[in-house]
Amino acid sequence: MPTVRLRDAEEYPEPIQKLFEAAKAWFKYDFAQPPAMSRVMAWDPELGGFHGRAMKRAMTPGEWTRAEKEMVAAVVSGVNACAY
Amino acid sequence: MADDAPWYEAALLVGVTNALNVVADSPLESLEPASPGAEAQAVFAEIRAFYDRTDVPVAFRRVAADPGYLADVWGAARRAFADNTLTRRHKEALAFAVSVTTRSPFGTAFHLGEMRRLGVTERGAMEVLGVTQMFSSYTKIADTLQLEPDMDHLAAGDPSPAPGGAPARSRSRPPEAP
């Protein structure tokens, strides 16, 4: 159970809702609500914007494929014992 | 089983990496034999050959007082890091990520060196570091707020094959991502 109240997408300002729409395009998934992490990062757009761009840059295929990077992410999450 | 092979390999690699790191990073110099016997030297020779280096990584020297134990630890490490379903190059990247995440000075330097030796460029190393750092952030945010998993079915499409796997079959969602 989250320790904060996760806002619905509709509770965010219009510019943020546009970002959520962009997230739908990225995931190619018509979710009822954006993922919890997206909504958390959108709480502070000035931080979340930078963080999200860094994340997207880090995960973009380069010398390593996206799949290889996802496995790196999985082991880091595993070592950190993070179920999310 | 075959479909799970990359994940079994990754998990075993994480364990072996951590096992080597905890010994290498602990103040155990006094356990290193000053003059390892012939049995240990034979194992050391295999280790030098595997890593193409003249010295033996400290993680193995620390356990050389028991040559039988050394041989078994080395056997597990060699198996964990050898090319299999996952490539050795990718395994070194995973071990580097694990070592950075667990703050292992030995593992971080050693596996960064191995990645470079196996042809990973500075850009490639930076890519692994970036993923490691970003997920070290997201995991802590998620844990702090006790977020529940809700993204396991949302991963963006990607046309590249799974590590060690066959090219992806047709998917319900197109593979291109922004």
Side-chain angles (χ1 to χ4, degrees):
Chain A
M1 186 81 174
T3 57
V4 292
R5 184 179 72 81
L6 294 173
R7 275 70 171 167
D8 288 344
E10 295 71 29
E11 297 179 68
Y12 286 86
E14 181 67 24
I16 301 298
Q17 292 191 33
K18 286 182 178 170
L19 290 177
F20 290 149
E21 289 300 315
K24 276 187 186 178
W26 162 261
F27 287 113
K28 303 190 188 308
Y29 191 90
D30 188 19
F31 35 65
Q33 287 294 331
M37 184 58 74
S38 297
R39 287 183 278 161
V40 168
M41 298 311 289
W43 186 83
D44 183 350
E46 290 188 42
L47 187 158
F50 285 116
H51 203 283
R53 278 193 294 279
M55 173 69 166
K56 187 175 282 189
R57 188 178 181 89
M59 295 306 290
T60 297
E63 189 164 319
W64 304 93
T65 67
R66 175 71 189 273
E68 287 172 327
K69 290 184 172 187
E70 288 288 354
M71 186 169 269
V72 171
V75 298
V76 170
S77 300
V79 169
N80 279 328
C82 178
Y84 184 82
Chain B
M1 283 291 285
D3 287 347
D4 289 339
W7 296 104
Y8 274 98
E9 279 188 42
L12 295 172
L13 179 84
V14 170
V16 170
T17 297
N18 198 52
L20 296 176
N21 288 353
V22 295
V23 168
D25 289 326
S26 298
L28 299 171
E29 294 86 348
S30 62
L31 286 181
E32 288 183 33
S35 303
E39 196 178 340
Q41 289 292 355
V43 177
F44 282 177
E46 290 183 20
I47 294 170
R48 290 191 194 96
F50 187 79
Y51 292 114
D52 191 23
R53 55 194 292 166
T54 55
D55 64 329
V56 175
V58 65
F60 300 107
R61 297 201 311 267
R62 294 272 167 88
V63 298
D66 182 343
Y69 182 74
L70 167 66
D72 288 338
V73 167
W74 165 237
R78 179 179 53 199
R79 176 65 178 169
F81 281 93
D83 282 317
N84 201 344
T85 304
L86 302 179
T87 65
R88 187 171 173 185
R89 178 175 172 275
H90 189 207
K91 287 178 173 181
E92 287 296 344
L94 296 174
F96 173 67
V98 169
S99 299
V100 171
T101 305
T102 56
R103 288 87 163 160
S104 168
F106 163 79
T108 298
F110 181 72
H111 296 295
L112 178 58
E114 279 297 287
M115 277 202 300
R116 287 171 169 155
R117 187 178 71 81
L118 295 171
V120 176
T121 67
E122 296 306 293
R123 176 187 164 179
M126 185 60 221
E127 288 180 14
V128 177
L129 183 61
V131 176
T132 303
Q133 186 171 40
M134 283 296 102
F135 276 83
S136 292
S137 174
Y138 281 118
T139 53
K140 293 310 175 192
I141 293 169
D143 286 347
T144 300
L145 298 179
Q146 298 180 35
L147 301 183
E148 293 159 353
D150 65 352
M151 296 186 72
D152 53 334
H153 60 303
L154 292 180
D158 175 59
S160 59
R169 290 186 291 272
S170 62
R171 304 169 63 132
S172 56
R173 287 181 282 141
E176 63 276 4

